[in-house]
Amino acid sequence: MWTGTVALTIVYISTAFGLPPFRDVNNDRPGTADSLINFPEENKDVYYKHMTLPLSTFVGENKFEYGCSAFLLKPNEYIVEYLPLGERDDTYHITISVCDIPYDESPVWECINPAHVCKNQRREVMYAWTNGAPGWILPEYAGVYTGDKQQYIILQVHGRDDISDERAADSAHFRLKIQKTRPPLDAAISIYSVGGYVPAHVENFTADVACVWNMTTPSPVIAYGLHTHSRGLAQSGYIVRNGKWIEIGRGDPLYPLVLFDVTDRNLMLHPGDIIATRCTYRNTGDTDISMGSTHLNEMCNLFLHYGVSHENLAETKSMSCSSSAQNSDWEIFDHIPVDASNPNGDTDQARYVKKYQLTHNY
């Protein structure tokens, strides 16, 4: 059993991140034609990159569960907005990742296996969205750096299996807003996740993970997201500093995966802090539920977005912290707040539910 925390390490995420169909002039997908849609010209500071993936991918005899498509990404620029477009009910969720080389050269390929997103499994998860959630506009002081060499954006779509024939003629649409001017800070992401399984016949099973924040300088928290599948009852995330638990966020993970903007709270991460998250589940079935990628599996993910200086390029890479649900006997969680498994109250999620009229995904 684990009895403490482990260090948060920089990694490339591997096997453990209606509109009519159209293509845009900044699509940059290998082998596609230019669009008739006119977005801002290349010489301007800001432009839009529109990405699509055919919904026909998810219907028919040879349908995919997860589809991936690659788009060129220019170096030394900054993503400042993520926006899903079109009929959102056609997809379960969308993930935006970056890699040096796509796993496959096909326009669309099956990628339910996380190792089949990028060649050599060198994948950086940048953004995750689930059906019904709004997009994310970064604060003016931060942007997601596109790297110092040409790379590829991978649009990974988990499509529904009940898409109508009429809708199958359309595409899943996603738009990035990109600027060329460097903002004061780069926006980076760390992902906290739990493996193992949720046992059968449990009402309040908890799965925990915690890691030491090993950045060399303080970092402001920009946003966070909470995510489980259908058996999740609650999820909470905390900064633990000198024995004090500071709540990052808490909520009902059956609502869509929203990136909650917390820039107005002035939350800072300091070297030596511990980031801790707990997921609480109910599984009244007769079988254990494994953690995994499909909706038959479960998940426990805390997505934490924060700001770092551009000079610390290594610290802008995606970071990962994980543990098994069966190894959750960590001494630090003996002192977790009593409402950690209570999704109710005056939370960021409660305000977003009201603002965006969010409803349960399950």
Side-chain angles (χ1 to χ4, degrees):
M1 293 291 186
W2 290 97
T3 57
T5 57
V6 297
L8 185 67
T9 56
I10 298 174
V11 298
Y12 283 92
I13 305 302
S14 58
T15 54
F17 333 124
L19 295 174
F22 64 90
R23 296 184 295 269
D24 97 47
V25 70
N26 294 306
N27 196 331
D28 292 335
R29 186 206 299 269
T32 59
D34 288 342
S35 169
L36 298 178
I37 304 294
N38 292 318
F39 283 97
E41 296 176 359
E42 291 283 337
N43 60 359
K44 293 187 178 179
D45 183 58
V46 175
Y47 68 94
Y48 296 88
K49 186 177 191 68
H50 194 97
M51 303 176 293
T52 65
L53 190 145
L55 292 174
S56 58
T57 301
F58 310 109
V59 300
E61 183 178 350
N62 299 315
K63 64 183 179 183
F64 295 168
E65 185 167 354
Y66 281 65
C68 278
S69 194
F71 302 82
L72 287 173
L73 184 65
K74 296 179 181 179
N76 297 311
E77 296 182 336
Y78 297 85
I79 300 170
V80 294
E81 181 181 18
Y82 297 89
L83 183 64
L85 300 170
E87 297 288 344
R88 302 181 182 188
D89 289 343
D90 296 322
T91 61
Y92 287 117
H93 58 78
I94 294 174
T95 302
I96 303 296
S97 302
V98 169
C99 60
D100 294 337
I101 305 173
Y103 178 81
D104 198 295
E105 295 181 357
S106 303
V108 181
W109 69 92
E110 169 64 73
C111 56
I112 189 172
N113 185 336
H116 293 172
V117 176
C118 297
K119 190 77 74 175
N120 302 322
Q121 302 179 31
R122 295 176 64 84
R123 175 189 184 190
E124 283 189 70
V125 176
M126 303 177 77
Y127 177 79
W129 170 90
T130 61
N131 176 38
W136 182 38
I137 301 174
L138 278 78
E140 291 184 357
Y141 65 75
V144 177
Y145 183 51
T146 62
D148 57 2
K149 62 181 180 180
Q150 180 176 283
Q151 299 183 96
Y152 289 88
I153 282 277
I154 306 297
L155 179 70
Q156 183 185 40
V157 180
H158 184 186
R160 297 182 63 93
D161 56 8
D162 57 357
I163 297 173
S164 68
D165 291 340
E166 180 182 4
R167 291 296 307 145
D170 199 352
S171 296
H173 299 262
F174 205 94
R175 190 185 75 179
L176 302 177
K177 183 178 180 180
I178 299 175
Q179 73 179 37
K180 300 177 181 180
T181 302
R182 177 189 297 177
L185 293 178
D186 289 2
I189 179 175
S190 57
I191 302 173
Y192 301 78
S193 60
V194 175
Y197 61 89
V198 179
H201 306 297
V202 293
E203 287 291 337
N204 288 282
F205 176 76
T206 58
D208 303 325
V209 62
C211 282
V212 175
W213 185 259
N214 58 6
M215 293 295 183
T216 57
T217 57
S219 301
V221 179
I222 298 173
Y224 70 92
L226 309 171
H227 183 60
T228 74
H229 286 171
S230 61
R231 295 124 186 127
L233 297 176
Q235 185 177 1
S236 52
Y238 301 89
I239 301 169
V240 186
R241 181 178 301 145
N242 299 323
K244 180 181 179 181
W245 289 69
I246 303 166
E247 184 176 297
I248 299 171
R250 184 167 45 84
D252 178 348
L254 299 191
Y255 281 105
L257 171 56
V258 173
L259 284 185
F260 300 110
D261 185 329
V262 292
T263 52
D264 61 341
R265 290 168 54 188
N266 296 318
L267 283 175
M268 295 293 294
L269 300 168
H270 294 278
D273 285 349
I274 296 169
I275 309 302
T277 188
R278 164 168 285 182
C279 291
T280 305
Y281 300 93
R282 175 187 293 123
N283 176 16
T284 58
D286 296 329
T287 59
D288 299 340
I289 306 298
S290 298
M291 299 292 183
S293 299
T294 78
H295 279 265
L296 298 176
N297 302 131
E298 260 306 331
M299 281 189 171
C300 177
N301 290 332
L302 168 67
F303 300 92
L304 189 63
H305 296 260
Y306 54 94
V308 296
S309 67
H310 185 77
E311 287 70 27
N312 298 325
L313 277 179
E315 296 185 352
T316 69
K317 301 295 184 182
S318 298
M319 297 193 300
S320 172
C321 170
S322 62
S323 181
S324 170
Q326 278 56 60
N327 292 328
S328 294
D329 188 18
W330 302 44
E331 290 179 356
I332 186 175
F333 287 97
D334 292 343
H335 307 288
I336 194 170
V338 295
D339 60 357
S341 294
N342 180 0
N344 302 311
D346 182 20
T347 63
D348 297 314
Q349 186 182 73
R351 290 186 285 276
Y352 272 68
V353 166
K354 182 177 180 180
K355 180 177 180 179
Y356 295 102
Q357 300 180 332
L358 302 179
T359 58
H360 274 181
N361 267 346
Y362 298 94

